[in-house]
Each structure stands twice: as structure tokens, then as C-alpha cells.
Amino acid sequence: MSNTVWINALAELQQQGEPCVLVTIIEERGSTPRNAGSKMVVSRERLYDTIGGGHLEYKAQAIAREMLENRVRETRLERFSLGASLGQCCGGATVLLFEPMGQPQAHIAVFGAGHVGRALVPLLASLPCKVRWIDSRESEFPAQIPTGVEKVVNDEVVDEVENMPAGSYFIVMTHNHQLDLELTAAILSRGDFTYYGLIGSKSKRAKFEHRLRDRGFQAETVQRMRCPMGIAEVKGKLPVEIAVSIAGEVIATYNANFGEKSADGEKPVPMLVPAARRSQTG
């Protein structure tokens, strides 16, 4: 196979926003089926190129798929002895490097294509995030949607809440307070989100808290709602200023959650500045 197969596959998968793992032979000793530098790309569905076939490739594929399943972002080294255990008769040893590529750090649903939404979505699109931008009004979306952003036009906006994976980020900024409330109830009912931000003032929060309590939501559940959302130190009323503040909070949250996995999804919103940065004095 041409050595451009894996390069083309990486480019194509990146364009589609599909995560994959690049597997490289970085060391070989003795007789091995392929030379150091040989690469293959493993996506959830397919293999591209080869590191020599056989049990080694099968084992490498299984490790890569497990990394994809667990959304691992750290690189990994594995050493294999190519003896009877791998069914290889050549008797050498191989070290493989596994590099996760294109794994989004956050799946984000942005509800609302108004001024702030139009300022925020391009910022999120430039981050390692997978963004779904949702509104019932086709006319509100700009002509050019940022690369990697999925535009969703749906009259039943609230139905889109259940279409997000566990651990998602939800940002609500629609044109309608009642719709904001219905979305809030649907998101808090799921309970498996990493972050939920609602645009609005402290008085809007107080009203929503009251209405949510009337609907039977527990106080600790409602406390997970960020409203006002965004980093308080970023002042300003311009859409881009608000958008930068919200994007900053999203970044701080996914940095603070780096490498964490929550089985029940019930962790509180973490401190906005990760511990590693809080401890820095310079």
C-alpha cells in the first residue's frame, strides 16, 4: 500500500470530525513483519493502511478501539514480543506508539442563533469541541456555518436535548424565556451533563429557581445551573465579550475535567481554574 493511505485517512477523518488513533511502529528488534515507521489509522469503523497484519495488528486494533471507546487523549506505548503468544513465527519484538487524534474534549449543544450565539459558536468551533447549533428559526443562522459545527433546525427544540451524549455541555440562549425554562427542565432532568450554562441575570436565575422548585427539582440539582454564565471577571455587554466569557468558562471546565470519568454524571461543576493553574505563582 502507498504510504499516503494513512495520511489521507487522517485528513479525511479530521475533516469529518471523527476521532481516530494513529498507530506507529517505533522500534523493532529481530525479525518483524513491517519496518519501524510503518503506520496505520484506526477509527471506530475502519482500518486504514497496515502494520503487517496478523495477531499484532489485531491486538493493536483492539487497543486503539478501547482508547476510542474511553475517549483517551494521552499517547500510549506498548511493547509486543512477536512469539507464540501473538501467533507470529518471526520471533522479533515491536514497540507501538498509539496517538489519539481528533478526540473532542467536549460535546456542546448551543441553543439559540441570536447575536451572542453567532459570536460564541465560531469560538467554540476553533476549540477541540464538537458543536451542535440548534434553533427553530432557519433565518437566524448565518450563511456560513463554521467548519465542524452541525446546524440543527428543529421546531421542537427541546427534543434535541436527548440527542446529546452523556457528559455533554449545554448552553442555552434562546429568544424566549419560556423555551429557556423548558430546556432547563429537560437538561436538569437528564442530570448526566458536565456543564449547563443559561444566559441571563441574577434576577432571571431567581425566577427560574422558583419555577424549577415548583416542578419538584431538588436544590442541589438546580445549583448545577450556571446562570449568569461565563467568567465574572470578563466584563462587557457586547456579544463578543459575552461569548469570550462563556468560551473561557467552557475551556476552564474541560481542563478541570481532563482525564476524569464520572459513572453517574452527578459531579458538581468544577472550580473554574484547574488546580494546576491555581498553584502557579508566576
Side-chain angles (χ1 to χ4, degrees), residues 86-213:
L86 279 178
Q88 306 270 19
C89 56
C90 42
T94 296
V95 177
L96 299 184
L97 172 65
F98 295 81
E99 296 177 273
M101 300 282 181
Q103 187 67 265
Q105 286 184 268
H107 288 261
I108 304 181
V110 177
F111 292 89
H115 295 303
V116 179
R118 290 198 292 273
L120 174 64
V121 166
L123 293 177
L124 298 178
S126 66
L127 298 171
C129 300
K130 191 167 185 181
V131 182
R132 299 185 83 232
W133 193 7
I134 302 152
D135 203 304
S136 59
R137 306 161 299 163
E138 168 80 57
S139 60
E140 286 297 303
F141 288 98
Q144 289 295 315
I145 302 295
T147 304
V149 174
E150 182 186 357
K151 179 177 91 169
V152 180
V153 181
N154 187 344
D155 286 337
E156 303 299 330
V157 172
V158 180
D159 289 353
E160 291 297 328
V161 171
E162 65 188 36
N163 291 334
M164 296 297 293
S168 290
Y169 291 54
F170 293 91
I171 295 171
V172 170
M173 45 177 64
T174 79
H175 58 293
N176 182 299
H177 268 235
Q178 186 59 37
L179 180 55
D180 283 357
L181 182 64
E182 297 307 325
L183 284 165
T184 301
I187 293 161
L188 293 182
S189 292
R190 277 191 60 152
D192 61 356
F193 54 89
T194 294
Y195 172 90
Y196 171 44
L198 170 67
I199 201 162
S201 60
K202 287 180 180 174
S203 64
K204 179 177 178 178
R205 181 187 184 99
K207 283 178 192 163
F208 272 46
E209 284 184 347
H210 181 71
R211 288 174 185 171
L212 290 163
R213 276 198 302 271

Side-chain angles (χ1 to χ4, degrees), residues 261-276:
K261 255 197 132 184
S262 170
D264 58 9
E266 285 300 318
K267 60 183 175 234
V269 172
M271 293 181 73
L272 291 181
V273 181

